[in-house]
Every structure is written in structure tokens, then in C-alpha cells.
Amino acid sequence: MVSGGGRSDDSRMSNRVPPHAYFVVSAVFHYLGPAFAVLLFARVDALGVAWLRIASAAVVFAVWRRPWRVWARLERPVRWVLAGWAAVLAVMNSAFYLALERLPLGTVAAIEFLPVIVLAAWASRTRRNAVALVCAVAGVYLLVDVRLGGEPLGFVFAAANAGLFAAYIVLGHRVARDPAVSGLDGLALSMMIAAVVAVPFGIADAAPAFTDAVALAAAVGVGVTSSVIPYVSDQLAMARLPRATYALMVSLLPATATVIGVVVLTQVPSAAEVAGVILVIVGVAVHREREASSEPAPPPGERVTPEHG
């Protein structure tokens, strides 16, 4: 079992910031990444963009965390979780870009949110949380422009991305709370493995970028803004938020997109979009986490990291 010293250091620093703030950072950068991806789509096919995003993020994590030093000391069950999460990251990002080639972003976002609703509903054991979930779903329905047009294959990729996004939350939450992986090393390890997993179906499409300085720069931008910053923020939030709370807060993503559209792109929202934003905010505000005493106890022998350092 790996020593938790690194995790303690990271926890002391991260606990100074409310976990919800990390989610807001993740939500904002979730929509800055596609700005770089637009530039890449003009030069590289979808699977190539996905691989460049994963690979550039893996390089950043390798330089920052040097996670390979941790791998040898991990027990086999933890390695399997990290490998599974890596496979999810690789296929999820690829399916996302393949869906965007065929469907509007709003449609893909709506489909992506459906399994997350199931995760939130699964743990919504109180009437208050049920009301919060209904408000969040209604708000997302008003915010997202769901159109049934487009290629049927696009819906297949969007559905695959949706299921994998739910798996990302489940496995990511498990890694974030596993004391065997110090700090963010679990994320760094999984991202490096994901870059290798995605090689067979992404490297060929990514080849044109290797001789294009602009495309490579855009790839780094996509990797940092779409994978490094939001995934790190997700881990810091998941380490302190119950999985159901995090799943419900994902409904803030369409609301965040609307706010960014107003501030950055001067896109004035419609009345329905404003109502959607309000409903989502109400849903998140109404939702209440379970008491700490109702959280599952850690397995015997595991050291519990203090919530406040």
C-alpha cells in the first residue's frame, strides 16, 4: 500500500478551497477547450483530435507528477481500477468527438446528461433531493436544444459517450477517495495509460498534426483546457463531495455554457434559457448531502485523510 503522505499534503492545500469551487473551475474550462478543438477540426480528423488531447494531457501530467514512481507500489485491485478508468477516458473522448462530427453539441450534451441523472436519482433518498433532481432535469431540458436530426450513427456515438461519462464519474470518484493513490497521481497514471490505449485508433488521424506547428499548439491547448484543468478540478471536488452531489452538479454545465455565452460571446439568452439557468441553480441549492455518518466506512486498515488540515 502506498504511503498517504502525498495525499495529505495535497489535501491540506485543496481543503482550503470549497469543493464546489473546484467544480465551477471544471465547468468553465469544459467549454474553453472546444474553442481550440475548432481549430484542430480544420486540420485533423475527430479520432486524431481525441488522441492529441489525451496525449498532450498525459505529457503534462508526466512532467508534473511523475506518477510511474507510484505504480510499482500499488496493489493489483488499485491498478485494475486505474486501468479501467484509463480505458474509459480513451474511449469516452473518442466517442465524444465522433458524435460532434455528426450531431449538434446541444444534442450530444443532452444525451450525455441522461446517465448522470440516473446516478443522482440512485442516491436521492429524500423528498428534498428528489425535488432538487426534478428542478435540475427541468432546467437542463429548457437549456439544451435537443434535435432529432443528424446521422443515426451520431446517436450511437453520443449514447456510448453518455454511458462512459457516467462510468467516468463512478471510477473517478473511487480514485479520488482511494488512500492508496497519493494526491493526483491516480489521474496522472490513468491519463498516461489512456494515451497508450487510444494509439491504435487515433495515431493515424493525428499524424498530420506532427508537421503542423499550429495544430500541435492547439492540441496542447485542448489537452490543458479540456483534460488537465477540468479533470484535476474534478478530482479535488470528488475527494470531498458524495458521488450523488457531484452527479447532480453536472447539471450546472449547460447553465455555465449560457453564462459564458453572455459574458464572452455577448449571446443574449432567451426567456426559456434564463428559466433553465434558474431551475438548475435552484436544484443545486435545494440538494442536501447525506450526513457524514451515513457515508460508507473505509475498509479496515485504510487510513482516513482528515477533512481539514
Side-chain angles (χ1 to χ4, degrees):
M1 188 77 67
V2 175
S3 170
R7 175 175 287 275
S8 297
D9 294 338
D10 287 342
S11 296
R12 280 194 291 268
M13 292 185 292
S14 64
N15 284 347
R16 297 173 186 172
V17 179
H20 302 80
Y22 289 118
F23 180 86
V24 172
V25 172
S26 173
V28 170
F29 277 91
H30 180 82
Y31 290 101
L32 291 181
F36 293 99
V38 169
L39 181 60
L40 272 179
F41 271 129
R43 292 169 166 79
V44 183
D45 289 337
L47 288 177
V49 173
W51 186 82
L52 288 169
R53 166 183 171 174
I54 297 168
S56 59
V59 170
V60 172
F61 280 119
V63 173
W64 175 25
R65 303 295 300 192
R66 291 182 287 176
W68 54 84
R69 300 174 300 175
V70 176
W71 179 263
R73 294 177 288 169
L74 293 177
E75 296 179 351
R76 182 173 297 180
V78 179
R79 291 182 180 181
W80 278 112
V81 171
L82 294 178
W85 197 29
V88 167
L89 289 170
V91 182
M92 178 183 72
N93 283 294
S94 300
F96 175 74
Y97 286 121
L98 287 170
L100 284 184
E101 274 193 328
R102 297 165 172 83
L103 297 174
L105 178 59
T107 302
V108 177
I111 296 172
E112 183 176 63
F113 184 71
L114 295 178
V116 180
I117 285 289
V118 175
L119 285 178
W122 180 260
S124 293
R125 305 295 185 181
T126 66
R127 182 177 301 177
R128 183 188 186 103
N129 285 353
V131 171
L133 188 60
V134 169
C135 289
V137 173
V140 171
Y141 176 80
L142 290 174
L143 280 169
V144 178
D145 178 23
V146 180
R147 284 174 282 179
L148 297 179
E151 301 180 23
L153 186 58
F155 286 96
V156 174
F157 289 127
N161 173 66
L164 290 165
F165 185 58
Y168 162 79
I169 293 177
V170 173
L171 292 175
H173 194 268
R174 182 172 176 180
V175 171
R177 296 196 166 199
D178 193 332
V181 185
S182 59
L184 298 168
D185 291 338
L187 171 61
L189 280 168
S190 291
M191 190 61 66
M192 293 178 65
I193 299 171
V196 176
V197 171
V199 164
F201 48 87
I203 191 68
D205 288 343
F210 298 148
T211 57
D212 187 336
V214 174
L216 282 177
V220 174
V222 170
V224 171
T225 58
S226 297
S227 292
V228 177
I229 296 177
Y231 289 171
V232 167
S233 299
D234 283 346
Q235 282 289 286
L236 294 175
M238 287 176 176
R240 295 162 61 196
L241 290 174
R243 189 172 67 199
T245 301
Y246 179 87
L248 181 69
M249 289 188 68
V250 169
S251 63
L252 281 173
L253 291 178
T256 304
T258 302
V259 173
I260 290 177
V262 173
V263 176
V264 179
L265 304 176
T266 64
Q267 296 175 340
V268 180
S270 66
E273 290 172 329
V274 172
V277 172
I278 293 174
L279 279 172
V280 168
I281 293 174
V282 169
V284 174
V286 169
H287 181 265
R288 284 293 178 271
E289 302 174 12
R290 292 175 296 174
E291 294 296 328
S293 58
S294 66
E295 290 291 324
E302 287 191 357
R303 185 173 59 82
V304 179
T305 301
E307 279 295 317
H308 301 284

